[in-house]
Amino acid sequence: MAAKEEFLASLSVRLRSFFEDQAAGLDVPPAHLYRLEGRMELAQELGLIESAELRELLVTLCREILCEHAAKSYLDDQRIILHLHMKPAPVTPSTRDD
């Protein structure tokens, strides 16, 4: 397998994992999100994938793993970024206000 195909296959696996983690109710750490967005940007800048093709991949995976409503966020946003579709974590203040 050529380097281009290997990189795109790896990107696809990582994107699938991104959506599957959210579907499972897992947290997506910011560092993971930013690295994945960086890979998407790099793939575009190196000419490995066109933005329309990448958007279609995002829509397809999101639709398949999450739902149509979540996939709409990729159709409505012209930027190629990742959208989080997780339930907010319960937050408890670490200090008490008296």
Side-chain angles (χ1 to χ4, degrees):
M1 185 183 289
K4 174 183 175 178
E5 287 78 19
E6 286 180 24
F7 186 89
L8 292 178
S10 171
L11 179 60
S12 182
V13 166
R14 290 168 190 262
L15 287 170
R16 177 172 290 283
S17 176
F18 168 77
F19 290 115
E20 288 174 343
D21 285 354
Q22 291 178 81
L26 300 175
D27 186 34
V28 177
H32 179 73
L33 176 77
Y34 300 143
R35 280 194 304 268
L36 191 48
E37 285 182 334
R39 283 179 171 271
M40 293 188 321
E41 186 174 344
L42 179 64
Q44 291 175 90
E45 287 182 8
L46 293 176
L48 303 178
I49 192 168
E50 296 294 323
S51 61
E53 187 180 359
L54 183 52
R55 180 180 320 284
E56 183 58 35
L57 176 62
L58 292 169
V59 169
T60 300
L61 289 171
C62 190
R63 191 178 278 148
E64 174 188 324
I65 298 166
L66 295 175
C67 66
E68 182 65 34
H69 177 72
K72 189 173 179 336
S73 63
Y74 293 99
L75 294 169
D76 293 344
D77 192 343
Q78 294 306 305
R79 301 168 298 166
I80 302 291
I81 62 170
L82 294 173
H83 297 273
L84 294 174
H85 301 281
M86 302 179 303
K87 292 181 181 178
V91 177
T92 306
S94 60
T95 59
R96 225 172 68 167
D97 288 337
D98 290 321

